[in-house]
Amino acid sequence: MKVLVIGLGGVTNGGKTTLAEKLKNMLPNCDIISQDDFFKPESEVETDERGFKLYDVLDALYMDEMVTSIHNWMKNPASSGVVTEEPQNTCDNLKNVYILIVEGFLLYNYEPLNELWNRRYFLTLPYEECKRRRSTRVYQPADTPGYFDGHVWPMYLKYKNELEENASMQVDYLDGTKSQEELLSYVYSDIIQELNKLRE
């Protein structure tokens, strides 16, 4: 049995969840873990001097629990309830390969996760498009006025810069303004190449 762990990170509203779901439907033995499931309750998230809840930082997440969940999946992916029906056109020799897609906005800035990835993707968006998409979403708790400019976007730039400065980190940057079909086609064929390498 072999496992492939794929990171799908990047900007808020960049299309990570949609892309992950579509990949899951196309790939054999594929499962998803979402970073959004590891947010701390609002009462445990720090508030800054402007009254902004600091959600877009690692401290707002139970990252150790997330790492544990990924390790548990890797030890026994077949027991995770992953559906082993083969999508069309998948070769028989992929039956013993399990794929985990981990999607979230802050995946590559947490050291314990960095030894796990087989592939890392990072979706980007320009400021205006990101702000436009964000304004159409309803969050719990809701974004307060100025929150995007005061917290969300600066944190995205901070973590993205950290990533770009880390020369050892191999990340495939994806343009989130491209069509979902285009992104899906690119990432899917890339993962298939990885699967083929595993088989060799």
Side-chain angles (χ1 to χ4, degrees):
M1 185 194 73
K2 293 171 178 173
V3 298
L4 196 65
V5 182
I6 309 290
L8 198 51
V11 69
T12 177
N13 296 279
K16 300 179 293 293
T17 308
T18 307
L19 184 54
E21 291 292 345
K22 289 188 170 179
L23 286 165
K24 181 181 177 177
N25 292 334
M26 291 173 72
L27 292 162
N29 305 339
C30 185
D31 225 342
I32 298 172
I33 287 179
S34 175
Q35 190 172 35
D36 284 357
D37 295 338
F38 297 91
F39 271 113
K40 293 177 180 174
E42 192 181 351
S43 58
E44 288 182 42
V45 175
E46 282 184 47
T47 306
D48 72 3
E49 66 284 354
R50 298 163 298 182
F52 291 151
K53 280 277 180 193
L54 304 181
Y55 273 104
D56 288 53
V57 296
L58 286 166
D59 282 348
L61 296 145
Y62 294 120
M63 290 303 294
D64 49 347
E65 283 185 22
M66 184 174 170
V67 173
T68 302
S69 294
I70 295 170
H71 278 294
N72 289 342
W73 184 93
M74 289 170 77
K75 278 185 214 131
N76 197 356
S79 72
S80 65
V82 71
V83 182
T84 53
E85 281 174 38
E86 301 294 299
Q88 311 78 2
N89 320 327
T90 308
C91 327
D92 287 341
N93 50 7
L94 293 182
K95 279 194 167 60
N96 67 338
V97 178
Y98 289 84
I99 302 164
L100 181 64
I101 297 172
V102 182
E103 65 95 6
F105 71 109
L106 211 46
L107 298 181
Y108 311 130
N109 305 75
Y110 187 67
E111 205 46 53
L113 282 178
N114 278 332
E115 65 222 33
L116 303 178
W117 310 117
N118 293 93
R119 297 288 288 134
R120 296 182 187 90
Y121 302 98
F122 189 96
L123 281 148
T124 62
L125 282 177
Y127 166 83
E128 291 297 346
E129 175 62 12
C130 185
K131 190 170 186 177
R132 184 192 69 74
R133 290 189 193 182
R134 177 96 181 189
S135 69
T136 66
R137 291 271 290 274
V138 179
Y139 288 92
Q140 240 3 73
D143 282 359
T144 50
Y147 189 68
F148 181 84
D149 289 314
H151 177 61
V152 176
W153 189 254
M155 286 298 105
Y156 161 67
L157 293 179
K158 172 185 181 287
Y159 286 116
K160 183 169 174 275
N161 288 338
E162 277 180 20
L163 205 53
E164 289 166 344
E165 284 165 14
N166 184 345
S168 67
M169 186 92 70
Q170 288 191 304
V171 179
D172 204 340
Y173 291 93
L174 305 173
D175 177 356
T177 63
K178 288 189 169 161
S179 73
Q180 289 181 351
E181 290 68 33
E182 209 174 333
L183 289 167
L184 180 64
S185 166
Y186 173 78
V187 176
Y188 175 76
S189 48
D190 203 43
I191 292 173
I192 293 297
Q193 283 185 340
E194 283 294 309
L195 287 172
N196 289 334
K197 277 186 219 161
L198 271 185
R199 290 204 333 249
E200 282 161 15

